[in-house]
């Protein structure tokens, strides 16, 4: 039942109009697959896009983390270099009394310390370097780069450093409260400053602190690096320390919406986890920055990733709908344009079946249908001309065939040959008679050639050789035939009895008109790269004047009575191959004449014998 139903649909489709077929085919093969493929594409790639987006976000996180670690490492290395400098340790370890006894030492040491500390500023992103020492050292009152411990007694960071067993502490902006050493107009605001403070321990007693170095660096620089980790819209990256203090953030506005339990995250064994934040599924990345108690955290909302995929899906289907609509309308108008012109062309073709060779109005649109209409008009014109030409050509072919038949049974040639045989018989030259009869037999066998009009060049040359053998006996061996035709063109085709009339003409009207009535005939051949064969027949006879040669080229000389004439050879070649082929002549008085035959290189196929 179903098969029968589809069969009826197929029959109706096949029988429908061309325009209907085009539009239905377009609907079935373009629009429907376009929407189906769009749906399948979205479902099969949405997960892949989500995975790739997450992977890209993780890569951005890792790159930002690596760059951040590099910056922190450089700051730590620079601070360590300052702290371990022997000259700095030597100066701040001096007995304060020496400066009251030697004031010049105070000036030189103060200058040396300031120069050394300022030399590290603006290197590897460090903005300011501060040295904190005991107030008993006189240069502590410098308050340019050198301060006393009393200046930071009430600061949060100093209290934390003093209470910490570690020799260094990384300082968020919040830890700089209570610090009174921001006295210069060139200092960054505390809210835009992060610092590393490191103790300078007494080499004799590591439990004793003889100074503190604090290196300030830009908080916006760190926040800029964090922003680079946010490859997904709506994500947030920030740094938090072990006391849950925010160090820096890519967006302070988003911080309140992302409350993450640092203690719970720090206990995990993996860097990435899925967790619900404010009832929204999120992907969280966490890594500790080496040599610090700081942790870099990136929070990526999964909903945002899905939303981006949905936007892509919407764009795809909107694009498909627009393209489908435009394509359908375009197909409709194009189909109608095609079918209208095809219908007109079909009507004209039907008229052609009944012999009405009526051209159509030329098409202004030169597409395939327009070209087809032009071809139809050209075809009707050619058919009209061809009908007329065919009648004339048929008459010419019949005339040429009749003359070729006359040449095959040339009575003068046959009479002269038989008379020559009779003479040789009376003289008792039996061997010559056998040679002449053998050549004559082969000559007529090749001339008749079972009615075939086309022979191989090799057969045509054999035909000429047999003719020349008979004629040479007639003229008492005063003729010499030289054939120089390459072996590779002997199997190409040529109309039969093409060369023999030319050789006959060379003998009778060239060589025999000389006083000594002797001479040479050369037949040469070649094939060029365009597949054109040229055969030449050259004699050293009396030649022709330019006037006679011109008359011969324009066919104004009447045909010779002996044979069917050179004009007929040229006509046959043009009938077979077209006007681009045939004979050409060149001649000089008392030097000879050359006739060139130009024919296409068509392989000769031996006809099958039934």
């Amino acid at each position: 039942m179903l098969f029968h139903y589809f069969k009826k649909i197929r029959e109706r489709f096949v029988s429908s109009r061309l325009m209907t077929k085009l539009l239905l085919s377009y609907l079935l093969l373009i629009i429907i697959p376009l929407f189906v493929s769009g749906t399948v594409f979205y479902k099969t790639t949405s997960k892949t896009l989500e995975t790739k987006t997450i992977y890209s976000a993780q890569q951005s996180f890792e790159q930002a983390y690596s760059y951040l670690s590099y910056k922190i490492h450089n700051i730590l290395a620079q601070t360590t270099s300052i702290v371990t400098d022997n000259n700095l340790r030597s100066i701040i370890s001096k007995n304060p009394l020496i400066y009251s006894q030697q004031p010049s030492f105070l000036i030189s040491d103060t200058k040396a310390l300031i120069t050394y500390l300022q030399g590290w500023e603006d290197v590897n992103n460090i903005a300011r370097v501060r040295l904190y020492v005991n107030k008993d050292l006189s240069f502590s009152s410098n308050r340019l780069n050198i301060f006393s411990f009393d200046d930071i007694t009430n600061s949060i960071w100093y209290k934390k450093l003093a209470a910490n067993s570690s020799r260094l502490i990384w300082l968020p902006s919040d830890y700089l409260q209570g610090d009174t050493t921001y006295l210069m107009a060139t200092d960054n605001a505390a809210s835009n400053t992060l610092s590393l403070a490191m103790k300078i321990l007494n080499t004799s007693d590591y439990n004793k602190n003889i100074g503190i170095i604090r290196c300030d660096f830009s908080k916006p620089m760190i926040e800029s690096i964090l922003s680079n980790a946010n490859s997904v819209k709506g994500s947030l990256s920030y740094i938090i320390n072990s006391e849950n203090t925010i160090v820096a953030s890519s967006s302070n506005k988003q911080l309140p919406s992302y409350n993450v339990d640092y203690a719970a995250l720090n206990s995990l064994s993996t860097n990435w986890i899925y967790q619900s934040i404010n009832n929204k599924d999120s992907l969280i990345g966490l890594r500790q920055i080496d040599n610090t108690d700081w942790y870099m955290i990136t929070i990526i909302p999964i909903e945002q990733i899905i939303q981006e995929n949905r936007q892509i899906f919407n764009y795809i289907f909107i694009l498909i709908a627009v393209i489908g609509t435009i394509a359908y309308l375009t197909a409709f108008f194009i189909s109608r344009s095609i079918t209208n012109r095809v219908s007109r062309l079909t009507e004209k073709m039907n008229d052609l079946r009944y012999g009405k060779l009526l051209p159509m109005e030329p098409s202004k649109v030169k597409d395939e249908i327009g070209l087809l209409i032009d071809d139809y008009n050209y075809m009707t014109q050619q058919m009209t001309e061809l009908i007329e030409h065919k009648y004339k050509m048929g008459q010419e072919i019949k005339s040429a065939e009749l003359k070729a038949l006359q040449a095959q049974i040339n009575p003068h040639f046959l009479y002269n040959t038989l008379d020559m045989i009779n003479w040789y018989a009376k003289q008792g030259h039996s061997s010559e008679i056998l040679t002449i009869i053998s050549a004559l037999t082969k000559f007529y066998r090749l001339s008749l050639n079972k009615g075939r009009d086309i022979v191989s060049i090799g057969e045509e040359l054999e035909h000429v050789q047999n003719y020349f053998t008979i004629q040479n006996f007639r003229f008492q061996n005063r003729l010499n035939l030289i054939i120089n035709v390459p072996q590779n063109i002997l199997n190409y085709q040529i109309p039969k009895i093409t060369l023999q009339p030319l050789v006959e003409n060379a003998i009778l009207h060239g060589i025999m008109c000389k006083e000594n009535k002797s001479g040479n005939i050369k037949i040469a051949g070649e094939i060029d790269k365009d597949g054109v064969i040229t055969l030449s027949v050259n004699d050293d006879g009396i030649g022709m004047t330019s006037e006679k040669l011109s008359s011969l080229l324009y066919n104004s000389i009447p045909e010779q009575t002996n044979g069917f004439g050179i004009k007929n050879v040229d006509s046959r070649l043009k009938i077979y191959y077209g006007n681009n082929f045939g004979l050409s002549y060149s001649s000089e008085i008392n030097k000879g004449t050359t006739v060139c035959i130009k024919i296409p290189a068509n392989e000769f196929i031996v006809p099958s014998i039934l």
Side-chain angles (χ1 to χ4, degrees), residues 192-261:
N192 288 329
T193 301
L194 302 176
S195 300
L196 170 61
M198 186 178 294
K199 299 175 184 177
I200 305 176
L201 303 178
N202 192 326
T203 55
S204 300
D205 183 4
Y206 286 109
N207 293 320
K208 185 177 181 181
N209 182 20
I210 61 174
I212 297 174
I213 287 292
R214 198 186 100 197
C215 293
D216 296 345
F217 53 95
S218 172
K219 182 178 180 181
M221 175 195 71
I222 301 300
E223 290 174 339
S224 175
I225 296 174
L226 292 173
S227 297
N228 292 333
N230 300 329
S231 62
V232 177
K233 183 180 178 181
S235 58
L236 173 69
S237 296
Y238 61 92
I239 297 174
I240 193 170
N241 68 5
S242 57
E243 296 181 353
N244 262 351
T245 300
I246 300 297
V247 177
S249 172
S250 62
S251 174
N252 292 325
K253 293 181 180 179
Q254 289 179 282
L255 273 174
S257 302
Y258 293 94
N259 296 320
V260 180
D261 186 355

Side-chain angles (χ1 to χ4, degrees), residues 544-557 585:
M544 290 183 285
T545 63
S546 59
E547 291 79 8
K548 187 175 181 180
L549 179 61
S550 177
S551 299
L552 186 63
L553 289 171
Y554 291 101
N555 296 325
S556 60
I557 292 180
Y585 312 87

Side-chain angles (χ1 to χ4, degrees), residues 31-46 313 316-317 320:
I31 296 181
I32 294 177
L34 197 63
F35 279 96
V36 171
S37 61
T39 304
V40 174
F41 172 79
Y42 171 73
K43 290 186 177 181
T44 55
T45 59
S46 59
F313 172 80
I316 290 174
F317 270 83
I320 289 174

Side-chain angles (χ1 to χ4, degrees), residues 87-98:
N87 188 41
L88 182 144
R89 285 175 173 274
S90 175
I91 293 174
I92 66 176
S93 298
K94 289 181 179 180
N95 190 329
L97 296 177
I98 195 173

Side-chain angles (χ1 to χ4, degrees), residues 579-593:
N579 292 329
N580 292 329
F581 300 94
L583 303 183
S584 60
Y585 312 87
S586 63
S587 183
E588 291 186 49
I589 293 295
N590 298 324
K591 289 187 178 181
T593 302

Side-chain angles (χ1 to χ4, degrees), residues 378-435:
Y378 177 77
M379 180 185 68
T380 55
Q381 179 184 352
Q382 291 297 308
M383 287 179 67
T384 302
E385 295 176 358
L386 186 60
I387 291 172
E388 297 176 0
H389 177 69
K390 185 177 180 182
Y391 176 77
K392 295 179 180 179
M393 188 177 70
Q395 297 300 317
E396 292 177 358
I397 291 175
K398 291 297 182 182
S399 176
E401 289 175 349
L402 177 61
K403 291 177 180 179
L405 182 60
Q406 289 173 350
Q408 294 171 20
I409 57 173
N410 188 334
H412 292 282
F413 172 68
L414 181 59
Y415 173 78
N416 291 334
T417 303
L418 294 176
D419 184 60
M420 181 175 57
I421 293 172
N422 181 54
W423 184 84
Y424 274 111
K426 290 179 180 180
Q427 299 296 322
H429 299 294
S430 59
S431 62
E432 286 81 355
I433 293 173
L434 290 175
T435 303

